[in-house]
Amino acid sequence: MELPKIAWVKSYFSKEGRADDWARVEFFDLPDFLSFRATGCKARSNCSLACKWLFTPAQPSADQDGVGWDEKVLAAAGLDDIVSDGFSKIGGCLSDSTLTVLKAGEPVANGLSARAAEELGLAPGTPVGASVIDAYAGWFGTIASGSSDDKQDRSNQELAGQRLAVIAGTSACHLLASRKPVLVPGVWGPYYGVGLSEWYMLEGGQSAVGSLIDYVVRSHSAYGPLTKKSEETGKSVYEILDSTLISLSGACTSSGSRPESHLVELVKSLHFLPDHHGNRAPLADPDMCGSIVGETLTAPDSIEALAIRYLACICGLAYGTRAILDSVVAAGGEQVTELLISGGLSQGTVFTQVLADVT
């Protein structure tokens, strides 16, 4: 979210008496800065502007007078001088053609500049495509990947509106393409043309996912024995926790069924609210806190007890994803039929199984 960051920088320069620095500074989103360093061109990505700068792209059947920067928002943020300066600090203005906005993958200028080509060991003029921000780069790769259900001859664009991409690492971003603009409370967007042309994007998310799982595991009294077991076996702590849970769920397994299908029975009385770092979507409440309800003193220092708490955390996170999906449908969005996941957490056996079950 660039505008509050820029407002903070302006406040800092003001307090430090650095008016000259503020007068000459220009701001880029990281992907746009990389394009600038590669080409020398200050063109901006429609993706970064719409998703991070509150810029309104041109879109069909809309009031084109509202396209571009919102002067009222900038003024409310204390950035009136950016408006009076012709928006030069943030890329320029559409009306005087000083701002160039490019779609994802559109060629930037004449490709690599001589300087960048020398630094990178590539040929000058090598094409450079307009950038997208991090999670959206993940979305392109994730949504285009195949699945076991791809038995029909359907294009990826036809599938895009039915596939939710979960880019899951330290935090998680939930990205969904839509042919129509859908206003979902607590979910960012709809952003027009930031991924596929003529499509809107909805962006949900969870502020802490991998980082929360790490916190839950590392703060438990059995973490020491767990790391020792990891060193002895050569397996990661999460591989050990996953196998422990599958083993425990095997005791609940009826003949012919898989242990993974009984995981939830291990935590049926243990409830985990995963909002330790606030709730991004669908509640959009930064003051939300997390909680664990239903713990007992049964072997509290054992690896098995840690595994159960780890599972409860995963269930809470999965229900958070389900809440995002439900809010999209309730607002008039399409029913998602496939969930595709990428990032470090896609390697988690229990995480992916519980996420599939809950959704």
Side-chain angles (χ1 to χ4, degrees):
M1 299 291 100
E2 310 307 350
L3 295 186
K5 295 176 183 178
I6 294 172
W8 182 90
V9 171
K10 181 181 179 181
S11 174
Y12 172 77
F13 279 168
S14 177
K15 291 176 182 177
E16 295 292 313
R18 296 170 58 181
D20 290 345
D21 286 338
W22 173 253
R24 64 191 182 91
V25 72
E26 292 182 57
F27 295 95
F28 289 82
D29 203 272
L30 176 59
D32 291 332
F33 179 73
L34 294 176
S35 298
F36 167 64
R37 284 286 284 111
T39 65
C41 175
K42 294 183 180 180
R44 307 302 173 106
S45 158
N46 185 54
C47 182
S48 61
L49 291 186
C51 299
K52 294 292 187 182
W53 297 72
L54 303 184
F55 179 92
T56 304
Q59 51 192 292
S61 304
D63 180 4
Q64 300 306 309
D65 290 338
V67 171
W69 302 110
D70 191 322
E71 296 183 13
K72 292 181 180 178
V73 171
L74 288 161
L79 299 172
D80 312 62
D81 52 341
I82 285 182
V83 177
S84 61
D85 196 29
F87 307 97
S88 61
K89 290 187 184 304
I90 56 175
C93 184
L94 286 174
S95 61
D96 63 7
S97 300
T98 55
L99 174 65
T100 300
V101 182
L102 301 176
K103 297 177 182 178
E106 195 173 353
V108 181
N110 296 314
L112 281 184
S113 65
R115 173 188 172 186
E118 182 179 359
E119 292 174 345
L120 295 171
L122 298 171
T126 299
V128 175
S131 60
V132 294
I133 58 179
D134 50 4
Y136 286 77
W139 176 81
F140 272 110
T142 304
I143 214 69
S145 64
S147 78
S148 58
D149 295 328
D150 282 351
K151 296 175 181 177
Q152 299 181 44
D153 184 19
R154 297 178 294 177
S155 72
N156 284 317
Q157 285 214 16
E158 290 173 334
L159 289 167
Q162 302 165 28
R163 288 179 163 179
L164 177 78
V166 181
I167 317 301
T170 302
S171 59
C173 195
H174 302 70
L175 291 165
L176 180 66
S178 174
R179 282 290 193 186
K180 61 181 181 180
V182 182
L183 291 167
V184 185
V187 172
W188 297 355
Y191 302 126
Y192 182 71
V194 298
L196 300 174
S197 296
E198 302 179 6
W199 284 68
Y200 294 86
M201 290 294 294
L202 296 173
E203 181 181 346
Q206 292 167 294
S207 300
V209 180
S211 59
L212 180 59
I213 293 172
D214 283 345
Y215 167 77
V216 167
V217 171
R218 293 176 181 176
S219 62
H220 195 275
S221 57
Y223 182 62
L226 177 63
T227 55
K228 183 179 180 180
K229 186 173 182 179
S230 174
E231 293 168 357
E232 292 172 348
T233 62
K235 296 181 179 180
S236 74
V237 295
Y238 294 106
E239 287 176 314
I240 294 172
L241 290 173
D242 283 0
S243 62
T244 298
L245 288 170
I246 292 172
S247 176
L248 289 171
S249 64
C252 310
T253 305
S254 57
S255 177
S257 62
R258 293 162 46 240
E260 293 92 330
S261 63
H262 294 269
L263 283 167
V264 70
E265 295 181 27
L266 299 173
V267 288
K268 60 184 178 183
S269 299
L270 185 62
H271 310 292
F272 194 105
L273 184 66
D275 295 324
H276 293 53
H277 199 51
N279 184 289
R280 174 176 162 183
L283 301 180
D285 185 350
D287 296 321
M288 289 282 287
C289 296
S291 66
I292 308 174
V293 177
E295 289 196 303
T296 70
L297 288 177
T298 303
D301 298 323
S302 66
I303 291 177
E304 288 77 11
L306 169 52
I308 295 296
R309 179 185 278 208
Y310 161 73
L311 175 59
C313 175
I314 288 174
C315 286
L317 291 166
Y319 285 124
T321 295
R322 175 62 182 267
I324 292 169
L325 283 170
D326 288 347
S327 67
V328 170
V329 173
E334 282 194 49
Q335 180 70 53
V336 170
T337 59
E338 293 184 74
L339 189 150
L340 285 78
I341 181 171
S342 61
L345 288 173
S346 65
Q347 305 302 312
T349 303
V350 169
F351 183 87
T352 52
Q353 181 65 55
V354 170
L355 191 59
D357 291 344
V358 168
T359 55

